[in-house]
Amino acid sequence: MFTKIGLIGAMAEEIERIEERLDNETVTVKAGIAFKEGLFYGKSVVLCKSGVGKVNAAVCTQILLDLFGVDAIIFTGVAGALDPSLDIGDIVISTDCQQHDMDASPLGFARGTIPFAETSVFPADPALVALAAEASASLAQGHTVQGRVLSGDQFIADRDTVKLLHEQLGGACTEMEGSAVAQVCAMNGTPFVIIRSMSDKADGSAHVNFSEFAVQSADRSYRIVEHMVRAM
């Protein structure tokens, strides 16, 4: 299906399980990011920790495309739930991505709309979405939904904001990188999917449960990626 896959996580906890299984590893540092090229269950991959935020994610994604020639990108990690049916540990597989903090509404643009751009919503690759859904179903690890991943350079921890993002923008979850990855992939014609496990409910309790559940949730997201790559 794909010859070389880019695997991205924002934090160490989100990629360390993959790194443990990486064979024939070589490391290239570019823009302060360590890109680890090797074999993951016999498949050619490039693994990297982008760092937190949309700029870091965008830079990382473009380097994966330009320097390493990956032909698909999977982003794995944790997120805050917006869909009220989701609980900690549940999975969101991106159908598409949008920036919730893109707001030029004083100029007459709807929130989330990139001014003068052809589109502000970036669809994930259907084949990768289906592969992720099959992987999650086979692992039978909690509830999985396919939905919109919203991104912004903000840690959401307010119930009113959660309601707004879910009802106005249709978000299933919120995080800080996915839409940047999605936009760069769309600009380059590269398939992608974002896989997020819920580490908190983005409702003000994050200071209580984020640290406790981030590692556990990242592990669930990892297991889906592992299953996907092995099935490719």
Side-chain angles (χ1 to χ4, degrees), residues 57-68 73 184-185 187-188:
V59 169
C60 180
T61 302
Q62 193 64 56
I63 292 172
L64 280 171
L65 299 174
D66 289 345
L67 188 61
F68 296 96
I73 288 182
V184 172
C185 284
M187 293 169 73
N188 288 273

Side-chain angles (χ1 to χ4, degrees), residues 8-231:
I8 311 175
M11 303 182 296
E13 298 91 332
E14 296 171 330
I15 65 166
E16 58 187 9
R17 291 288 306 279
I18 300 173
E19 187 174 5
E20 291 170 1
R21 299 301 301 262
L22 203 61
D23 296 322
N24 302 332
E25 178 183 319
T26 60
V27 180
T28 302
V29 178
K30 181 76 172 177
I33 302 169
F35 294 85
K36 300 177 181 182
E37 193 169 8
L39 297 176
F40 183 56
Y41 290 101
K43 307 299 191 302
S44 180
V45 303
V46 185
L47 174 68
C48 50
K49 181 182 72 173
S50 65
V52 174
K54 292 186 298 179
V55 172
N56 283 328
V59 169
C60 180
T61 302
Q62 193 64 56
I63 292 172
L64 280 171
L65 299 174
D66 289 345
L67 188 61
F68 296 96
V70 302
D71 52 11
I73 288 182
I74 301 172
F75 197 108
T76 176
V78 300
L82 298 175
D83 184 334
S85 73
L86 292 168
D87 207 341
I88 291 169
D90 289 344
I91 299 291
V92 172
I93 300 167
S94 65
T95 53
D96 55 33
C97 299
Q98 186 176 14
Q99 298 179 61
H100 68 74
D101 62 347
M102 176 62 69
D103 188 359
S105 53
L107 300 178
F109 296 93
R111 180 172 180 168
T113 298
I114 302 170
F116 316 115
E118 290 185 6
T119 184
S120 302
V121 177
F122 304 99
D125 179 69
L128 288 174
V129 171
L131 194 58
E134 291 167 9
S136 185
S138 68
L139 292 168
Q141 51 175 20
H143 181 47
T144 297
V145 303
Q146 296 179 31
R148 176 165 296 170
V149 173
L150 296 180
S151 307
D153 290 322
Q154 304 166 352
F155 194 102
I156 304 300
D158 174 77
R159 289 181 175 85
D160 291 337
T161 305
V162 167
K163 184 177 180 182
L164 182 150
L165 295 180
H166 179 59
E167 294 180 355
Q168 289 191 10
L169 295 181
C173 69
T174 180
E175 36 84 300
M176 298 184 182
E177 296 85 25
S179 295
V181 173
Q183 184 172 349
V184 172
C185 284
M187 293 169 73
N188 288 273
T190 302
F192 78 91
V193 70
I194 311 298
I195 301 166
R196 292 290 193 174
S197 181
M198 303 303 101
S199 60
D200 63 271
K201 294 177 71 70
D203 60 358
S205 61
H207 66 286
V208 175
N209 57 36
F210 180 82
S211 296
E212 181 179 353
F213 292 106
V215 174
Q216 172 189 331
S217 296
D219 183 68
R220 290 181 175 177
S221 184
Y222 157 78
R223 290 182 184 278
I224 293 176
V225 174
E226 177 188 48
H227 196 281
M228 287 176 68
V229 173
R230 294 180 75 172

